[in-house]
Amino acid sequence: MREPTVSIESQVEQFIGWLRTKKLKVTQERLALVREVLASKGHFEAEDLQIRLRAQGRRVSKPTIYRTLPLLIESGLLRPSFLTGERQTYYENTLGDDKHEHLICVACGRIIEFTSERLEEALVEVGRKHGFIAQKRRIELFGLCEYCG
Amino acid sequence: MREPTVSIESQVEQFIGWLRTKKLKVTQERLALVREVLASKGHFEAEDLQIRLRAQGRRVSKPTIYRTLPLLIESGLLRPSFLTGERQTYYENTLGDDKHEHLICVACGRIIEFTSERLEEALVEVGRKHGFIAQKRRIELFGLCEYCG
DNA sequence: TTCGGTGCAAAAGTTTTGCACTAGC
DNA sequence: GCTAGTGCAAAACTTTTGCACCGAA
């Protein structure tokens, strides 16, 4: 089970700081949304957020959700997620982005997480060579897993 | 400029073979669509295909396009593409998937392609360790490029 | 007190469906 | 000739917008 390396509340603080930097207001709706997004496992869509919040007794409108998602993306806490050919916009928080790569089986849909020290080193070399400062990344290999190969 | 390693017509043949395997019909519409998709550079959406085909005098309806795209994805020639937080479904063909990775600058949007022998080796090792046979991949690093860092 | 933010209702888009007709096999 | 596939029109959904009201700073 993947555990976030950074606590949710510290990420909420980061978001509040980001809002202040941008001179945007820290509203109850935005706080509820960022907490829900950070607590989410895997990918989800706009409506999932509304349903989960409603289950907690918090009512946030669709327009507000759609207006808040881009802020979460801009602030770096969220990213669109598209492993398969969904027709809708799915999202995923970025808490697990570091050091977790994915092997995706095109036959059974199984997703295997992995880490690799050699991969780490190769990427550091690439960054140095191109003068690129990497912040986040997405590494996905598509193919056949050990059960389907 | 990136050149496909495999010719378009051989990929069209592959698609025809795939259709036959699935006992699906090889229609004019499907052939026109697969050719257009394979000839496309970068990301595009359903309507782009219709417009380009119409410019060539071929008329293919939206429903047919939407019904064909999943076939192209299933057959491995196409994949959804989501570099940024677009609200619509964009696609990209998989011709250039091999040996081209991306550095994406979050500040200026610049996309730098790179290859790395060490990365190659690291990925081979990962596959071997997990009994995974990789067919395609997507490797994207998000961060600041040499001009924005 | 002042604007930016929210919710509602309606609009705008995109993707899907039902059905009659067409064309691949 | 039989079916799967196509196009049209309409429906279904997701996402956006206009506007009046509310609440954070």
PDB file of all heavy atoms in Angstrom, chain B residues 34-56:
ATOM      1  N   VAL B  34      -7.686   5.314 -40.079  1.00  0.00           N
ATOM      2  CA  VAL B  34      -6.388   4.839 -39.592  1.00  0.00           C
ATOM      3  C   VAL B  34      -5.257   5.549 -40.341  1.00  0.00           C
ATOM      4  O   VAL B  34      -4.248   5.933 -39.743  1.00  0.00           O
ATOM      5  CB  VAL B  34      -6.248   3.297 -39.703  1.00  0.00           C
ATOM      6  CG1 VAL B  34      -6.174   2.833 -41.129  1.00  0.00           C
ATOM      7  CG2 VAL B  34      -5.018   2.829 -38.938  1.00  0.00           C
ATOM      8  N   ARG B  35      -5.428   5.791 -41.647  1.00  0.00           N
ATOM      9  CA  ARG B  35      -4.388   6.512 -42.402  1.00  0.00           C
ATOM     10  C   ARG B  35      -4.219   7.928 -41.869  1.00  0.00           C
ATOM     11  O   ARG B  35      -3.104   8.407 -41.708  1.00  0.00           O
ATOM     12  CB  ARG B  35      -4.759   6.572 -43.886  1.00  0.00           C
ATOM     13  CG  ARG B  35      -4.575   5.255 -44.595  1.00  0.00           C
ATOM     14  CD  ARG B  35      -4.185   5.417 -46.061  1.00  0.00           C
ATOM     15  NE  ARG B  35      -3.858   4.108 -46.624  1.00  0.00           N
ATOM     16  CZ  ARG B  35      -4.779   3.240 -47.044  1.00  0.00           C
ATOM     17  NH1 ARG B  35      -6.062   3.555 -47.006  1.00  0.00           N
ATOM     18  NH2 ARG B  35      -4.416   2.060 -47.509  1.00  0.00           N
ATOM     19  N   GLU B  36      -5.336   8.589 -41.601  1.00  0.00           N
ATOM     20  CA  GLU B  36      -5.269   9.965 -41.122  1.00  0.00           C
ATOM     21  C   GLU B  36      -4.614  10.026 -39.751  1.00  0.00           C
ATOM     22  O   GLU B  36      -3.793  10.899 -39.481  1.00  0.00           O
ATOM     23  CB  GLU B  36      -6.685  10.562 -41.068  1.00  0.00           C
ATOM     24  CG  GLU B  36      -6.707  12.065 -40.934  1.00  0.00           C
ATOM     25  CD  GLU B  36      -5.850  12.742 -41.987  1.00  0.00           C
ATOM     26  OE1 GLU B  36      -5.983  12.396 -43.177  1.00  0.00           O
ATOM     27  OE2 GLU B  36      -5.020  13.609 -41.616  1.00  0.00           O
ATOM     28  N   VAL B  37      -4.963   9.074 -38.902  1.00  0.00           N
ATOM     29  CA  VAL B  37      -4.385   9.035 -37.555  1.00  0.00           C
ATOM     30  C   VAL B  37      -2.882   8.817 -37.633  1.00  0.00           C
ATOM     31  O   VAL B  37      -2.099   9.476 -36.953  1.00  0.00           O
ATOM     32  CB  VAL B  37      -5.047   7.917 -36.716  1.00  0.00           C
ATOM     33  CG1 VAL B  37      -4.174   7.514 -35.535  1.00  0.00           C
ATOM     34  CG2 VAL B  37      -6.419   8.367 -36.245  1.00  0.00           C
ATOM     35  N   LEU B  38      -2.466   7.894 -38.485  1.00  0.00           N
ATOM     36  CA  LEU B  38      -1.043   7.587 -38.588  1.00  0.00           C
ATOM     37  C   LEU B  38      -0.253   8.729 -39.212  1.00  0.00           C
ATOM     38  O   LEU B  38       0.928   8.898 -38.942  1.00  0.00           O
ATOM     39  CB  LEU B  38      -0.840   6.300 -39.398  1.00  0.00           C
ATOM     40  CG  LEU B  38      -1.326   5.029 -38.692  1.00  0.00           C
ATOM     41  CD1 LEU B  38      -1.314   3.845 -39.630  1.00  0.00           C
ATOM     42  CD2 LEU B  38      -0.475   4.752 -37.455  1.00  0.00           C
ATOM     43  N   ALA B  39      -0.918   9.515 -40.044  1.00  0.00           N
ATOM     44  CA  ALA B  39      -0.227  10.633 -40.696  1.00  0.00           C
ATOM     45  C   ALA B  39      -0.161  11.857 -39.786  1.00  0.00           C
ATOM     46  O   ALA B  39       0.516  12.827 -40.086  1.00  0.00           O
ATOM     47  CB  ALA B  39      -0.937  10.991 -41.999  1.00  0.00           C
ATOM     48  N   SER B  40      -0.886  11.797 -38.676  1.00  0.00           N
ATOM     49  CA  SER B  40      -0.959  12.962 -37.785  1.00  0.00           C
ATOM     50  C   SER B  40       0.318  13.144 -36.968  1.00  0.00           C
ATOM     51  O   SER B  40       0.878  12.190 -36.476  1.00  0.00           O
ATOM     52  CB  SER B  40      -2.138  12.814 -36.829  1.00  0.00           C
ATOM     53  OG  SER B  40      -3.351  12.768 -37.552  1.00  0.00           O
ATOM     54  N   LYS B  41       0.708  14.394 -36.867  1.00  0.00           N
ATOM     55  CA  LYS B  41       1.840  14.738 -36.006  1.00  0.00           C
ATOM     56  C   LYS B  41       1.257  15.351 -34.732  1.00  0.00           C
ATOM     57  O   LYS B  41       0.349  16.163 -34.813  1.00  0.00           O
ATOM     58  CB  LYS B  41       2.729  15.794 -36.659  1.00  0.00           C
ATOM     59  CG  LYS B  41       3.145  15.488 -38.085  1.00  0.00           C
ATOM     60  CD  LYS B  41       4.344  14.588 -38.116  1.00  0.00           C
ATOM     61  CE  LYS B  41       4.860  14.416 -39.547  1.00  0.00           C
ATOM     62  NZ  LYS B  41       5.789  13.284 -39.665  1.00  0.00           N
ATOM     63  N   GLY B  42       1.795  14.970 -33.599  1.00  0.00           N
ATOM     64  CA  GLY B  42       1.350  15.588 -32.355  1.00  0.00           C
ATOM     65  C   GLY B  42      -0.061  15.207 -31.967  1.00  0.00           C
ATOM     66  O   GLY B  42      -0.611  14.246 -32.491  1.00  0.00           O
ATOM     67  N   HIS B  43      -0.644  15.961 -31.051  1.00  0.00           N
ATOM     68  CA  HIS B  43      -1.950  15.557 -30.546  1.00  0.00           C
ATOM     69  C   HIS B  43      -3.082  16.239 -31.296  1.00  0.00           C
ATOM     70  O   HIS B  43      -2.939  17.311 -31.852  1.00  0.00           O
ATOM     71  CB  HIS B  43      -2.051  15.791 -29.037  1.00  0.00           C
ATOM     72  CG  HIS B  43      -2.136  17.218 -28.643  1.00  0.00           C
ATOM     73  ND1 HIS B  43      -1.212  18.154 -29.013  1.00  0.00           N
ATOM     74  CD2 HIS B  43      -3.052  17.874 -27.912  1.00  0.00           C
ATOM     75  CE1 HIS B  43      -1.567  19.321 -28.519  1.00  0.00           C
ATOM     76  NE2 HIS B  43      -2.671  19.192 -27.854  1.00  0.00           N
ATOM     77  N   PHE B  44      -4.195  15.537 -31.346  1.00  0.00           N
ATOM     78  CA  PHE B  44      -5.357  16.027 -32.093  1.00  0.00           C
ATOM     79  C   PHE B  44      -6.611  15.497 -31.438  1.00  0.00           C
ATOM     80  O   PHE B  44      -6.555  14.593 -30.606  1.00  0.00           O
ATOM     81  CB  PHE B  44      -5.277  15.542 -33.545  1.00  0.00           C
ATOM     82  CG  PHE B  44      -5.144  14.051 -33.652  1.00  0.00           C
ATOM     83  CD1 PHE B  44      -6.273  13.242 -33.666  1.00  0.00           C
ATOM     84  CD2 PHE B  44      -3.902  13.452 -33.708  1.00  0.00           C
ATOM     85  CE1 PHE B  44      -6.156  11.862 -33.743  1.00  0.00           C
ATOM     86  CE2 PHE B  44      -3.768  12.062 -33.779  1.00  0.00           C
ATOM     87  CZ  PHE B  44      -4.905  11.267 -33.801  1.00  0.00           C
ATOM     88  N   GLU B  45      -7.760  16.055 -31.837  1.00  0.00           N
ATOM     89  CA  GLU B  45      -9.018  15.575 -31.283  1.00  0.00           C
ATOM     90  C   GLU B  45      -9.896  15.035 -32.400  1.00  0.00           C
ATOM     91  O   GLU B  45      -9.558  15.143 -33.589  1.00  0.00           O
ATOM     92  CB  GLU B  45      -9.728  16.703 -30.540  1.00  0.00           C
ATOM     93  CG  GLU B  45      -9.843  17.952 -31.388  1.00  0.00           C
ATOM     94  CD  GLU B  45     -10.574  19.082 -30.663  1.00  0.00           C
ATOM     95  OE1 GLU B  45     -11.689  18.804 -30.163  1.00  0.00           O
ATOM     96  OE2 GLU B  45     -10.037  20.199 -30.609  1.00  0.00           O
ATOM     97  N   ALA B  46     -11.030  14.436 -32.009  1.00  0.00           N
ATOM     98  CA  ALA B  46     -11.915  13.791 -32.968  1.00  0.00           C
ATOM     99  C   ALA B  46     -12.260  14.712 -34.142  1.00  0.00           C
ATOM    100  O   ALA B  46     -12.196  14.305 -35.301  1.00  0.00           O
ATOM    101  CB  ALA B  46     -13.190  13.329 -32.262  1.00  0.00           C
ATOM    102  N   GLU B  47     -12.597  15.953 -33.832  1.00  0.00           N
ATOM    103  CA  GLU B  47     -13.021  16.851 -34.901  1.00  0.00           C
ATOM    104  C   GLU B  47     -11.912  17.156 -35.907  1.00  0.00           C
ATOM    105  O   GLU B  47     -12.182  17.334 -37.094  1.00  0.00           O
ATOM    106  CB  GLU B  47     -13.577  18.164 -34.323  1.00  0.00           C
ATOM    107  CG  GLU B  47     -14.123  19.056 -35.420  1.00  0.00           C
ATOM    108  CD  GLU B  47     -15.160  20.036 -34.916  1.00  0.00           C
ATOM    109  OE1 GLU B  47     -15.107  20.392 -33.726  1.00  0.00           O
ATOM    110  OE2 GLU B  47     -16.024  20.461 -35.718  1.00  0.00           O
ATOM    111  N   ASP B  48     -10.663  17.211 -35.418  1.00  0.00           N
ATOM    112  CA  ASP B  48      -9.538  17.453 -36.331  1.00  0.00           C
ATOM    113  C   ASP B  48      -9.521  16.418 -37.449  1.00  0.00           C
ATOM    114  O   ASP B  48      -9.270  16.738 -38.609  1.00  0.00           O
ATOM    115  CB  ASP B  48      -8.206  17.371 -35.579  1.00  0.00           C
ATOM    116  CG  ASP B  48      -8.066  18.489 -34.555  1.00  0.00           C
ATOM    117  OD1 ASP B  48      -8.626  19.573 -34.791  1.00  0.00           O
ATOM    118  OD2 ASP B  48      -7.410  18.265 -33.530  1.00  0.00           O
ATOM    119  N   LEU B  49      -9.764  15.181 -37.070  1.00  0.00           N
ATOM    120  CA  LEU B  49      -9.755  14.102 -38.055  1.00  0.00           C
ATOM    121  C   LEU B  49     -10.819  14.343 -39.105  1.00  0.00           C
ATOM    122  O   LEU B  49     -10.580  14.210 -40.308  1.00  0.00           O
ATOM    123  CB  LEU B  49     -10.007  12.758 -37.368  1.00  0.00           C
ATOM    124  CG  LEU B  49      -8.883  12.256 -36.458  1.00  0.00           C
ATOM    125  CD1 LEU B  49      -9.314  10.985 -35.745  1.00  0.00           C
ATOM    126  CD2 LEU B  49      -7.612  12.027 -37.268  1.00  0.00           C
ATOM    127  N   GLN B  50     -12.021  14.713 -38.639  1.00  0.00           N
ATOM    128  CA  GLN B  50     -13.114  14.939 -39.575  1.00  0.00           C
ATOM    129  C   GLN B  50     -12.788  16.071 -40.547  1.00  0.00           C
ATOM    130  O   GLN B  50     -13.000  15.951 -41.749  1.00  0.00           O
ATOM    131  CB  GLN B  50     -14.404  15.270 -38.816  1.00  0.00           C
ATOM    132  CG  GLN B  50     -15.609  15.323 -39.737  1.00  0.00           C
ATOM    133  CD  GLN B  50     -16.900  15.476 -38.968  1.00  0.00           C
ATOM    134  OE1 GLN B  50     -17.008  16.299 -38.067  1.00  0.00           O
ATOM    135  NE2 GLN B  50     -17.900  14.679 -39.327  1.00  0.00           N
ATOM    136  N   ILE B  51     -12.220  17.140 -40.000  1.00  0.00           N
ATOM    137  CA  ILE B  51     -11.879  18.293 -40.835  1.00  0.00           C
ATOM    138  C   ILE B  51     -10.827  17.923 -41.881  1.00  0.00           C
ATOM    139  O   ILE B  51     -10.969  18.248 -43.062  1.00  0.00           O
ATOM    140  CB  ILE B  51     -11.362  19.451 -39.949  1.00  0.00           C
ATOM    141  CG1 ILE B  51     -12.530  20.009 -39.119  1.00  0.00           C
ATOM    142  CG2 ILE B  51     -10.720  20.543 -40.800  1.00  0.00           C
ATOM    143  CD1 ILE B  51     -12.101  20.979 -38.037  1.00  0.00           C
ATOM    144  N   ARG B  52      -9.789  17.211 -41.459  1.00  0.00           N
ATOM    145  CA  ARG B  52      -8.723  16.845 -42.395  1.00  0.00           C
ATOM    146  C   ARG B  52      -9.222  15.894 -43.474  1.00  0.00           C
ATOM    147  O   ARG B  52      -8.834  15.994 -44.632  1.00  0.00           O
ATOM    148  CB  ARG B  52      -7.561  16.192 -41.643  1.00  0.00           C
ATOM    149  CG  ARG B  52      -6.763  17.209 -40.858  1.00  0.00           C
ATOM    150  CD  ARG B  52      -5.455  16.622 -40.390  1.00  0.00           C
ATOM    151  NE  ARG B  52      -5.216  16.994 -39.006  1.00  0.00           N
ATOM    152  CZ  ARG B  52      -4.808  16.154 -38.051  1.00  0.00           C
ATOM    153  NH1 ARG B  52      -4.576  14.888 -38.340  1.00  0.00           N
ATOM    154  NH2 ARG B  52      -4.622  16.586 -36.827  1.00  0.00           N
ATOM    155  N   LEU B  53     -10.076  14.975 -43.062  1.00  0.00           N
ATOM    156  CA  LEU B  53     -10.608  14.036 -44.051  1.00  0.00           C
ATOM    157  C   LEU B  53     -11.504  14.773 -45.036  1.00  0.00           C
ATOM    158  O   LEU B  53     -11.462  14.521 -46.238  1.00  0.00           O
ATOM    159  CB  LEU B  53     -11.391  12.924 -43.349  1.00  0.00           C
ATOM    160  CG  LEU B  53     -10.509  11.885 -42.647  1.00  0.00           C
ATOM    161  CD1 LEU B  53     -11.344  10.960 -41.789  1.00  0.00           C
ATOM    162  CD2 LEU B  53      -9.705  11.091 -43.676  1.00  0.00           C
ATOM    163  N   ARG B  54     -12.298  15.703 -44.522  1.00  0.00           N
ATOM    164  CA  ARG B  54     -13.193  16.449 -45.406  1.00  0.00           C
ATOM    165  C   ARG B  54     -12.377  17.250 -46.414  1.00  0.00           C
ATOM    166  O   ARG B  54     -12.773  17.387 -47.580  1.00  0.00           O
ATOM    167  CB  ARG B  54     -14.089  17.380 -44.571  1.00  0.00           C
ATOM    168  CG  ARG B  54     -15.168  18.035 -45.382  1.00  0.00           C
ATOM    169  CD  ARG B  54     -16.233  18.655 -44.480  1.00  0.00           C
ATOM    170  NE  ARG B  54     -16.992  17.650 -43.749  1.00  0.00           N
ATOM    171  CZ  ARG B  54     -17.744  17.892 -42.671  1.00  0.00           C
ATOM    172  NH1 ARG B  54     -17.805  19.122 -42.186  1.00  0.00           N
ATOM    173  NH2 ARG B  54     -18.416  16.936 -42.089  1.00  0.00           N
ATOM    174  N   ALA B  55     -11.220  17.768 -45.958  1.00  0.00           N
ATOM    175  CA  ALA B  55     -10.357  18.551 -46.846  1.00  0.00           C
ATOM    176  C   ALA B  55      -9.851  17.678 -47.999  1.00  0.00           C
ATOM    177  O   ALA B  55      -9.499  18.165 -49.061  1.00  0.00           O
ATOM    178  CB  ALA B  55      -9.168  19.116 -46.064  1.00  0.00           C
ATOM    179  N   GLN B  56      -9.834  16.362 -47.776  1.00  0.00           N
ATOM    180  CA  GLN B  56      -9.403  15.442 -48.834  1.00  0.00           C
ATOM    181  C   GLN B  56     -10.599  14.900 -49.604  1.00  0.00           C
ATOM    182  O   GLN B  56     -10.462  13.976 -50.413  1.00  0.00           O
ATOM    183  CB  GLN B  56      -8.656  14.249 -48.221  1.00  0.00           C
ATOM    184  CG  GLN B  56      -7.391  14.622 -47.475  1.00  0.00           C
ATOM    185  CD  GLN B  56      -6.924  13.479 -46.601  1.00  0.00           C
ATOM    186  OE1 GLN B  56      -7.079  12.323 -46.967  1.00  0.00           O
ATOM    187  NE2 GLN B  56      -6.371  13.789 -45.444  1.00  0.00           N
TER     188      GLN B  56
END
